[in-house]
Amino acid sequence: MNPLRVVFVSGLSGSGKSTAMNALEDIGFYCVDNLPAQLTSQVVNLCAQAEPPIERVALAIDAREERFLRVLPSVIDDLRRSDARVRVLFLDCATDVLVDRYRETRRVHPLSPSGSVEEGIARERELLGEVARLADLRLDSSDLTVHELRRAIADWAGAGEAARGPVVNLVSFGFRHGLPRGADLVFDVRFLPNPHFEPLLRPRTGLDADVAAFVLDCEPTKELLERLRGLLNFLLPLYEREGKSYLTVAVGCTGGRHRSVAVLESLARELRRFGQNVSVTHRDVEKD
């Protein structure tokens, strides 16, 4: 029997926890929402003893259960000392984006039902601070669509234990739309030949083969990719040694539709070829 895989999902209200649980359910996880931490061991044991055994479990943790949060770190530590393979996903989001989301839905914040949304968010950040520090992946959903968030989580969780090193979040973007939030490394590829000025290529994206060939087949791009691979091969073991479980690498061009997308896809293929756990997001590929 394969070792039981347990994913804890936590994060700020409005950051996408429901989306994350749906994404995990879609790839075969048995999902339990808002489970008190004290009951985790019982649920894990029941899954292991089921016939046939349930091998992948996702448990959502809610800040509203403040009394249960206190024991969560010890519960996770106990599981990690067992045969179970435990990972923690924490969904973060910029405060201004969360406020906008609450205004759109006209909901009150669960931790500030009679106060401001900002007060509720601040209280929730405080309560979830220790959970965030335990996270194997801390994913900022501020600039992600629902589909992008689902894809990022599925890529991360679906990779299993075969991949090595930190999770590498690759994000393409357009400088005209602003820098991605939370990027650890940012690379500017606006010096590469631009398909935007080719009438036949302009309406396409870097995901199309002819656009990718236009960008990737020139010498500056080949040298850039070689240097980026070398840099990441140097950095990733060092980050892993320091306990960093994820790294966000952003590659930008002017609009985020052509050059950055093509370069990012090529870099992702190369990293995966060497067993790296990679998640890809093209933030601005659908924008004008």
Side-chain angles (χ1 to χ4, degrees):
M1 185 180 71
N2 294 323
L4 180 67
R5 291 181 60 197
V6 182
V7 173
F8 287 90
V9 178
S10 187
L12 302 174
S13 301
S15 62
K17 286 182 293 179
S18 296
T19 298
M21 293 295 280
N22 289 337
L24 291 168
E25 189 172 43
D26 286 347
I27 60 173
F29 278 80
Y30 176 73
C31 295
V32 182
D33 208 356
N34 299 335
L35 179 75
Q38 290 91 332
L39 299 180
T40 299
S41 296
Q42 291 94 311
V43 170
V44 168
N45 288 334
L46 285 172
C47 290
Q49 294 166 11
E51 193 58 47
I54 297 172
E55 296 182 347
R56 301 203 284 182
V57 182
L59 308 173
I61 306 299
D62 196 318
R64 284 173 288 188
E65 305 299 333
E66 182 177 352
R67 293 164 296 174
F68 302 141
L69 281 176
R70 301 190 193 104
V71 302
L72 183 62
S74 62
V75 169
I76 292 174
D77 285 342
D78 288 343
L79 277 175
R80 281 178 166 160
R81 284 194 291 268
S82 71
D83 291 333
R85 294 176 176 174
V86 181
R87 303 173 85 187
V88 180
L89 168 66
F90 187 86
L91 293 170
D92 205 345
C93 190
T95 298
D96 61 318
V97 176
L98 289 174
V99 170
D100 287 342
R101 290 176 183 175
Y102 271 95
R103 285 174 180 163
E104 289 173 4
T105 59
R106 299 183 180 179
R107 294 175 57 206
V108 297
H109 195 282
L111 294 185
S112 183
S114 58
S116 69
V117 171
E118 289 89 344
E119 290 172 347
I121 294 170
R123 174 63 176 152
E124 193 170 34
R125 287 192 191 280
E126 179 183 349
L127 289 174
L128 292 173
E130 183 59 30
V131 181
R133 284 189 286 274
L134 292 171
D136 297 288
L137 175 64
R138 186 167 179 166
L139 187 59
D140 191 320
S141 68
S142 304
D143 296 318
L144 300 180
T145 67
V146 170
H147 303 296
E148 290 168 341
L149 180 58
R150 288 176 67 100
R151 187 163 56 247
I153 292 168
D155 287 347
W156 172 73
E161 304 299 328
R164 58 178 174 81
V167 177
V168 181
N169 302 313
L170 297 177
V171 182
S172 71
F173 72 97
F175 279 94
R176 104 170 28 131
H177 305 295
L179 291 172
R181 301 173 195 262
D184 297 297
L185 301 172
V186 178
F187 299 99
D188 182 352
V189 298
R190 287 177 290 185
F191 62 88
L192 297 177
N194 193 350
H196 176 79
F197 297 112
E198 300 293 326
L200 294 178
L201 301 181
R202 181 181 301 178
R204 300 172 180 256
T205 75
L207 296 172
D208 293 304
D210 49 356
V211 176
F214 181 90
V215 175
L216 299 176
D217 287 348
C218 70
E219 287 305 317
T221 307
K222 293 176 182 178
E223 184 171 352
L224 170 68
L225 285 168
E226 183 177 350
R227 290 174 182 264
L228 285 179
R229 288 192 292 264
L231 178 61
L232 291 176
N233 286 336
F234 168 72
L235 289 175
L236 288 173
L238 299 180
Y239 282 128
E240 184 177 14
R241 186 188 308 166
E242 290 300 311
K244 188 174 181 65
S245 55
Y246 57 90
L247 179 73
T248 300
V249 180
V251 177
C253 59
T254 303
R257 301 186 70 247
H258 298 117
R259 293 168 289 182
S260 59
V261 173
V263 168
L264 204 75
E265 286 289 323
S266 178
L267 189 59
R269 285 193 297 271
E270 189 69 12
L271 290 174
R272 285 172 175 148
R273 190 165 68 87
F274 287 99
Q276 190 64 52
N277 191 346
V278 177
S279 170
V280 175
T281 300
H282 298 301
R283 193 192 72 178
D284 301 328
V285 73
E286 300 298 332
K287 297 178 181 177
D288 294 330

